[in-house]
mmCIF file of all heavy atoms in Angstrom:
data_model
loop_
_atom_site.group_PDB
_atom_site.id
_atom_site.type_symbol
_atom_site.label_atom_id
_atom_site.label_comp_id
_atom_site.label_asym_id
_atom_site.label_seq_id
_atom_site.Cartn_x
_atom_site.Cartn_y
_atom_site.Cartn_z
ATOM 1 N N ARG S 22 -11.903 30.041 -5.945
ATOM 2 C CA ARG S 22 -11.849 31.163 -4.992
ATOM 3 C C ARG S 22 -12.116 32.488 -5.704
ATOM 4 O O ARG S 22 -12.809 33.364 -5.181
ATOM 5 C CB ARG S 22 -10.477 31.175 -4.300
ATOM 6 C CG ARG S 22 -10.366 32.244 -3.224
ATOM 7 C CD ARG S 22 -9.084 32.143 -2.469
ATOM 8 N NE ARG S 22 -9.009 30.915 -1.663
ATOM 9 C CZ ARG S 22 -8.045 30.643 -0.807
ATOM 10 N NH1 ARG S 22 -7.050 31.509 -0.635
ATOM 11 N NH2 ARG S 22 -8.033 29.526 -0.095
ATOM 12 N N ARG S 86 -15.338 27.709 3.006
ATOM 13 C CA ARG S 86 -14.720 28.975 3.391
ATOM 14 C C ARG S 86 -15.671 30.163 3.098
ATOM 15 O O ARG S 86 -15.506 31.234 3.663
ATOM 16 C CB ARG S 86 -13.424 29.152 2.597
ATOM 17 C CG ARG S 86 -12.339 29.935 3.307
ATOM 18 C CD ARG S 86 -11.139 30.092 2.406
ATOM 19 N NE ARG S 86 -10.565 28.813 1.999
ATOM 20 C CZ ARG S 86 -9.719 28.124 2.719
ATOM 21 N NH1 ARG S 86 -9.325 28.576 3.878
ATOM 22 N NH2 ARG S 86 -9.234 26.964 2.296
ATOM 23 N N LEU S 241 -13.199 21.671 7.177
ATOM 24 C CA LEU S 241 -11.877 22.289 7.236
ATOM 25 C C LEU S 241 -11.922 23.711 6.704
ATOM 26 O O LEU S 241 -11.336 24.631 7.309
ATOM 27 C CB LEU S 241 -10.875 21.455 6.422
ATOM 28 C CG LEU S 241 -9.496 22.058 6.207
ATOM 29 C CD1 LEU S 241 -8.758 22.211 7.530
ATOM 30 C CD2 LEU S 241 -8.684 21.207 5.218
ATOM 31 N N GLY S 242 -12.624 23.935 5.591
ATOM 32 C CA GLY S 242 -12.738 25.279 5.039
ATOM 33 C C GLY S 242 -13.426 26.224 6.001
ATOM 34 O O GLY S 242 -13.011 27.388 6.150
ATOM 35 N N VAL S 243 -14.470 25.767 6.671
ATOM 36 C CA VAL S 243 -15.168 26.577 7.668
ATOM 37 C C VAL S 243 -14.193 26.967 8.784
ATOM 38 O O VAL S 243 -14.094 28.143 9.191
ATOM 39 C CB VAL S 243 -16.372 25.824 8.254
ATOM 40 C CG1 VAL S 243 -16.928 26.554 9.467
ATOM 41 C CG2 VAL S 243 -17.452 25.661 7.170
ATOM 42 N N ALA S 244 -13.451 25.990 9.301
ATOM 43 C CA ALA S 244 -12.540 26.264 10.395
ATOM 44 C C ALA S 244 -11.406 27.212 9.991
ATOM 45 O O ALA S 244 -11.044 28.110 10.743
ATOM 46 C CB ALA S 244 -11.925 24.937 10.900
ATOM 47 N N GLU S 245 -10.877 27.050 8.794
ATOM 48 C CA GLU S 245 -9.780 27.904 8.341
ATOM 49 C C GLU S 245 -10.259 29.347 8.186
ATOM 50 O O GLU S 245 -9.522 30.298 8.489
ATOM 51 C CB GLU S 245 -9.187 27.363 7.059
ATOM 52 C CG GLU S 245 -8.377 26.099 7.270
ATOM 53 C CD GLU S 245 -7.669 25.621 6.035
ATOM 54 O OE1 GLU S 245 -8.131 25.933 4.902
ATOM 55 O OE2 GLU S 245 -6.657 24.924 6.153
ATOM 56 N N TRP S 246 -11.474 29.543 7.650
ATOM 57 C CA TRP S 246 -11.977 30.928 7.534
ATOM 58 C C TRP S 246 -12.142 31.545 8.902
ATOM 59 O O TRP S 246 -11.756 32.698 9.136
ATOM 60 C CB TRP S 246 -13.328 30.942 6.803
ATOM 61 C CG TRP S 246 -13.847 32.333 6.605
ATOM 62 C CD1 TRP S 246 -13.641 33.131 5.521
ATOM 63 C CD2 TRP S 246 -14.651 33.104 7.524
ATOM 64 N NE1 TRP S 246 -14.277 34.360 5.705
ATOM 65 C CE2 TRP S 246 -14.881 34.368 6.927
ATOM 66 C CE3 TRP S 246 -15.178 32.846 8.801
ATOM 67 C CZ2 TRP S 246 -15.636 35.362 7.566
ATOM 68 C CZ3 TRP S 246 -15.918 33.839 9.419
ATOM 69 C CH2 TRP S 246 -16.132 35.089 8.800
ATOM 70 N N CYS S 247 -12.705 30.793 9.853
ATOM 71 C CA CYS S 247 -12.910 31.332 11.195
ATOM 72 C C CYS S 247 -11.579 31.706 11.856
ATOM 73 O O CYS S 247 -11.462 32.760 12.484
ATOM 74 C CB CYS S 247 -13.654 30.302 12.052
ATOM 75 S SG CYS S 247 -15.373 30.024 11.544
ATOM 76 N N LEU S 248 -10.579 30.866 11.686
ATOM 77 C CA LEU S 248 -9.282 31.148 12.301
ATOM 78 C C LEU S 248 -8.613 32.352 11.665
ATOM 79 O O LEU S 248 -8.188 33.288 12.368
ATOM 80 C CB LEU S 248 -8.394 29.910 12.174
ATOM 81 C CG LEU S 248 -6.946 30.093 12.656
ATOM 82 C CD1 LEU S 248 -6.907 30.462 14.122
ATOM 83 C CD2 LEU S 248 -6.146 28.814 12.403
ATOM 84 N N SER S 249 -8.541 32.384 10.341
ATOM 85 C CA SER S 249 -7.826 33.475 9.674
ATOM 86 C C SER S 249 -8.557 34.809 9.871
ATOM 87 O O SER S 249 -7.909 35.854 10.097
ATOM 88 C CB SER S 249 -7.678 33.173 8.179
ATOM 89 O OG SER S 249 -8.951 33.034 7.564
ATOM 90 N N THR S 250 -9.867 34.784 9.851
ATOM 91 C CA THR S 250 -10.638 36.013 10.057
ATOM 92 C C THR S 250 -10.461 36.556 11.476
ATOM 93 O O THR S 250 -10.316 37.762 11.687
ATOM 94 C CB THR S 250 -12.140 35.762 9.776
ATOM 95 O OG1 THR S 250 -12.277 35.315 8.422
ATOM 96 C CG2 THR S 250 -12.957 37.023 9.968
ATOM 97 N N THR S 251 -10.434 35.654 12.423
ATOM 98 C CA THR S 251 -10.239 36.061 13.815
ATOM 99 C C THR S 251 -8.854 36.639 14.042
ATOM 100 O O THR S 251 -8.663 37.642 14.743
ATOM 101 C CB THR S 251 -10.507 34.876 14.758
ATOM 102 O OG1 THR S 251 -11.804 34.345 14.496
ATOM 103 C CG2 THR S 251 -10.433 35.303 16.211
ATOM 104 N N VAL S 252 -7.837 36.008 13.461
ATOM 105 C CA VAL S 252 -6.465 36.508 13.585
ATOM 106 C C VAL S 252 -6.361 37.915 13.008
ATOM 107 O O VAL S 252 -5.788 38.820 13.632
ATOM 108 C CB VAL S 252 -5.473 35.544 12.891
ATOM 109 C CG1 VAL S 252 -4.088 36.193 12.791
ATOM 110 C CG2 VAL S 252 -5.384 34.229 13.651
ATOM 111 N N GLU S 253 -6.930 38.117 11.845
ATOM 112 C CA GLU S 253 -6.863 39.433 11.206
ATOM 113 C C GLU S 253 -7.578 40.467 12.071
ATOM 114 O O GLU S 253 -7.111 41.616 12.208
ATOM 115 C CB GLU S 253 -7.500 39.386 9.809
ATOM 116 C CG GLU S 253 -6.670 38.615 8.799
ATOM 117 C CD GLU S 253 -5.266 39.188 8.643
ATOM 118 O OE1 GLU S 253 -5.149 40.434 8.536
ATOM 119 O OE2 GLU S 253 -4.303 38.405 8.637
ATOM 120 N N TYR S 254 -8.700 40.091 12.629
ATOM 121 C CA TYR S 254 -9.451 41.040 13.470
ATOM 122 C C TYR S 254 -8.646 41.425 14.727
ATOM 123 O O TYR S 254 -8.543 42.609 15.072
ATOM 124 C CB TYR S 254 -10.780 40.412 13.881
ATOM 125 C CG TYR S 254 -11.616 41.271 14.782
ATOM 126 C CD1 TYR S 254 -12.283 42.402 14.279
ATOM 127 C CD2 TYR S 254 -11.714 41.008 16.152
ATOM 128 C CE1 TYR S 254 -13.044 43.204 15.124
ATOM 129 C CE2 TYR S 254 -12.462 41.812 16.993
ATOM 130 C CZ TYR S 254 -13.137 42.892 16.485
ATOM 131 O OH TYR S 254 -13.878 43.726 17.293
ATOM 132 N N LEU S 255 -8.064 40.441 15.369
ATOM 133 C CA LEU S 255 -7.333 40.704 16.613
ATOM 134 C C LEU S 255 -6.025 41.465 16.357
ATOM 135 O O LEU S 255 -5.480 42.113 17.252
ATOM 136 C CB LEU S 255 -7.020 39.401 17.343
ATOM 137 C CG LEU S 255 -8.242 38.632 17.871
ATOM 138 C CD1 LEU S 255 -7.811 37.404 18.651
ATOM 139 C CD2 LEU S 255 -9.121 39.515 18.731
ATOM 140 N N LYS S 256 -5.535 41.439 15.140
ATOM 141 C CA LYS S 256 -4.336 42.212 14.803
ATOM 142 C C LYS S 256 -4.671 43.698 14.608
ATOM 143 O O LYS S 256 -3.793 44.551 14.662
ATOM 144 C CB LYS S 256 -3.693 41.665 13.510
ATOM 145 C CG LYS S 256 -2.952 40.327 13.738
ATOM 146 C CD LYS S 256 -2.667 39.616 12.447
ATOM 147 C CE LYS S 256 -1.719 40.336 11.588
ATOM 148 N NZ LYS S 256 -1.394 39.552 10.361
ATOM 149 N N GLU S 257 -5.940 43.988 14.385
ATOM 150 C CA GLU S 257 -6.345 45.362 14.132
ATOM 151 C C GLU S 257 -7.113 45.990 15.285
ATOM 152 O O GLU S 257 -6.951 47.168 15.573
ATOM 153 C CB GLU S 257 -7.224 45.419 12.864
ATOM 154 C CG GLU S 257 -6.534 44.972 11.601
ATOM 155 C CD GLU S 257 -5.355 45.886 11.253
ATOM 156 O OE1 GLU S 257 -5.441 47.086 11.547
ATOM 157 O OE2 GLU S 257 -4.348 45.386 10.693
ATOM 158 N N LEU S 275 -5.412 31.028 20.080
ATOM 159 C CA LEU S 275 -5.342 30.916 18.607
ATOM 160 C C LEU S 275 -4.284 29.934 18.169
ATOM 161 O O LEU S 275 -4.428 29.234 17.166
ATOM 162 C CB LEU S 275 -5.105 32.306 17.987
ATOM 163 C CG LEU S 275 -6.293 33.252 18.150
ATOM 164 C CD1 LEU S 275 -5.918 34.651 17.679
ATOM 165 C CD2 LEU S 275 -7.488 32.741 17.355
ATOM 166 N N LEU S 278 -5.760 26.565 18.452
ATOM 167 C CA LEU S 278 -6.714 26.341 17.387
ATOM 168 C C LEU S 278 -5.988 26.095 16.069
ATOM 169 O O LEU S 278 -6.417 25.246 15.258
ATOM 170 C CB LEU S 278 -7.628 27.564 17.239
ATOM 171 C CG LEU S 278 -8.784 27.448 16.239
ATOM 172 C CD1 LEU S 278 -9.675 26.263 16.576
ATOM 173 C CD2 LEU S 278 -9.610 28.739 16.243
ATOM 174 N N TRP S 279 -4.889 26.784 15.841
ATOM 175 C CA TRP S 279 -4.110 26.568 14.618
ATOM 176 C C TRP S 279 -3.595 25.129 14.550
ATOM 177 O O TRP S 279 -3.642 24.469 13.504
ATOM 178 C CB TRP S 279 -2.954 27.552 14.530
ATOM 179 C CG TRP S 279 -2.113 27.381 13.296
ATOM 180 C CD1 TRP S 279 -2.359 27.862 12.069
ATOM 181 C CD2 TRP S 279 -0.894 26.641 13.189
ATOM 182 N NE1 TRP S 279 -1.385 27.469 11.179
ATOM 183 C CE2 TRP S 279 -0.465 26.723 11.845
ATOM 184 C CE3 TRP S 279 -0.136 25.919 14.108
ATOM 185 C CZ2 TRP S 279 0.722 26.123 11.397
ATOM 186 C CZ3 TRP S 279 1.039 25.311 13.667
ATOM 187 C CH2 TRP S 279 1.444 25.415 12.327
ATOM 188 N N THR S 282 -6.294 22.815 13.717
ATOM 189 C CA THR S 282 -6.688 22.933 12.302
ATOM 190 C C THR S 282 -5.709 22.219 11.393
ATOM 191 O O THR S 282 -6.092 21.599 10.400
ATOM 192 C CB THR S 282 -6.781 24.434 11.928
ATOM 193 O OG1 THR S 282 -7.677 25.087 12.823
ATOM 194 C CG2 THR S 282 -7.274 24.610 10.509
ATOM 195 N N ARG S 286 -6.670 19.297 8.816
ATOM 196 C CA ARG S 286 -6.328 19.278 7.396
ATOM 197 C C ARG S 286 -5.718 17.930 7.000
ATOM 198 O O ARG S 286 -6.043 17.383 5.954
ATOM 199 C CB ARG S 286 -5.359 20.403 7.060
ATOM 200 C CG ARG S 286 -5.038 20.480 5.569
ATOM 201 C CD ARG S 286 -4.032 21.555 5.225
ATOM 202 N NE ARG S 286 -4.457 22.856 5.659
ATOM 203 C CZ ARG S 286 -3.841 23.591 6.548
ATOM 204 N NH1 ARG S 286 -2.737 23.165 7.112
ATOM 205 N NH2 ARG S 286 -4.306 24.786 6.886
ATOM 206 N N ALA S 321 -13.790 26.173 16.180
ATOM 207 C CA ALA S 321 -13.249 27.350 15.487
ATOM 208 C C ALA S 321 -14.314 28.431 15.325
ATOM 209 O O ALA S 321 -14.049 29.615 15.505
ATOM 210 C CB ALA S 321 -12.701 26.930 14.121
ATOM 211 N N ALA S 322 -15.533 28.005 14.991
ATOM 212 C CA ALA S 322 -16.616 28.972 14.803
ATOM 213 C C ALA S 322 -16.989 29.618 16.123
ATOM 214 O O ALA S 322 -17.288 30.826 16.200
ATOM 215 C CB ALA S 322 -17.822 28.281 14.169
ATOM 216 N N GLU S 324 -15.000 30.093 18.706
ATOM 217 C CA GLU S 324 -13.916 31.037 19.034
ATOM 218 C C GLU S 324 -14.057 32.302 18.192
ATOM 219 O O GLU S 324 -13.807 33.419 18.657
ATOM 220 C CB GLU S 324 -12.563 30.387 18.767
ATOM 221 C CG GLU S 324 -12.187 29.306 19.785
ATOM 222 C CD GLU S 324 -11.755 29.876 21.126
ATOM 223 O OE1 GLU S 324 -12.562 30.555 21.764
ATOM 224 O OE2 GLU S 324 -10.592 29.654 21.507
ATOM 225 N N CYS S 325 -14.425 32.127 16.924
ATOM 226 C CA CYS S 325 -14.592 33.294 16.030
ATOM 227 C C CYS S 325 -15.661 34.234 16.573
ATOM 228 O O CYS S 325 -15.453 35.466 16.648
ATOM 229 C CB CYS S 325 -14.943 32.803 14.645
ATOM 230 S SG CYS S 325 -15.205 34.093 13.424
ATOM 231 N N LEU S 328 -14.340 35.789 20.089
ATOM 232 C CA LEU S 328 -13.203 36.698 20.047
ATOM 233 C C LEU S 328 -13.480 37.948 19.201
ATOM 234 O O LEU S 328 -12.711 38.885 19.261
ATOM 235 C CB LEU S 328 -11.958 35.972 19.525
ATOM 236 C CG LEU S 328 -11.445 34.874 20.467
ATOM 237 C CD1 LEU S 328 -10.227 34.166 19.877
ATOM 238 C CD2 LEU S 328 -11.077 35.468 21.823
ATOM 239 N N HIS S 329 -14.535 37.929 18.441
ATOM 240 C CA HIS S 329 -14.943 39.154 17.753
ATOM 241 C C HIS S 329 -15.727 40.076 18.688
ATOM 242 O O HIS S 329 -16.097 41.192 18.272
ATOM 243 C CB HIS S 329 -15.797 38.845 16.495
ATOM 244 C CG HIS S 329 -14.988 38.596 15.266
ATOM 245 N ND1 HIS S 329 -14.310 37.430 15.036
ATOM 246 C CD2 HIS S 329 -14.709 39.404 14.196
ATOM 247 C CE1 HIS S 329 -13.667 37.497 13.868
ATOM 248 N NE2 HIS S 329 -13.887 38.682 13.338
ATOM 249 N N HIS S 338 -22.621 40.662 10.924
ATOM 250 C CA HIS S 338 -21.340 39.957 10.743
ATOM 251 C C HIS S 338 -21.622 38.505 10.375
ATOM 252 O O HIS S 338 -22.508 37.875 10.948
ATOM 253 C CB HIS S 338 -20.517 40.031 12.035
ATOM 254 C CG HIS S 338 -19.072 39.666 11.804
ATOM 255 N ND1 HIS S 338 -18.650 38.366 11.714
ATOM 256 C CD2 HIS S 338 -17.970 40.425 11.656
ATOM 257 C CE1 HIS S 338 -17.335 38.344 11.510
ATOM 258 N NE2 HIS S 338 -16.897 39.596 11.478
ATOM 259 N N TYR S 343 -21.203 30.841 9.874
ATOM 260 C CA TYR S 343 -20.192 29.778 9.964
ATOM 261 C C TYR S 343 -20.465 28.864 11.159
ATOM 262 O O TYR S 343 -20.263 27.642 11.097
ATOM 263 C CB TYR S 343 -18.794 30.385 10.050
ATOM 264 C CG TYR S 343 -18.374 31.009 8.747
ATOM 265 C CD1 TYR S 343 -18.791 32.279 8.382
ATOM 266 C CD2 TYR S 343 -17.594 30.285 7.833
ATOM 267 C CE1 TYR S 343 -18.438 32.850 7.157
ATOM 268 C CE2 TYR S 343 -17.233 30.845 6.622
ATOM 269 C CZ TYR S 343 -17.657 32.119 6.273
ATOM 270 O OH TYR S 343 -17.314 32.668 5.070
#
Side-chain angles (χ1 to χ4, degrees):
R22 185 174 293 187
R86 211 182 300 277
L241 171 64
V243 169
E245 288 186 334
W246 183 92
C247 292
L248 175 59
S249 61
T250 300
T251 305
V252 169
E253 289 302 315
Y254 178 74
L255 295 184
K256 285 164 66 177
E257 298 297 328
L275 292 173
L278 186 57
W279 180 82
T282 304
R286 184 183 301 118
E324 288 285 62
C325 179
L328 293 179
H329 273 77
H338 195 281
Y343 289 82

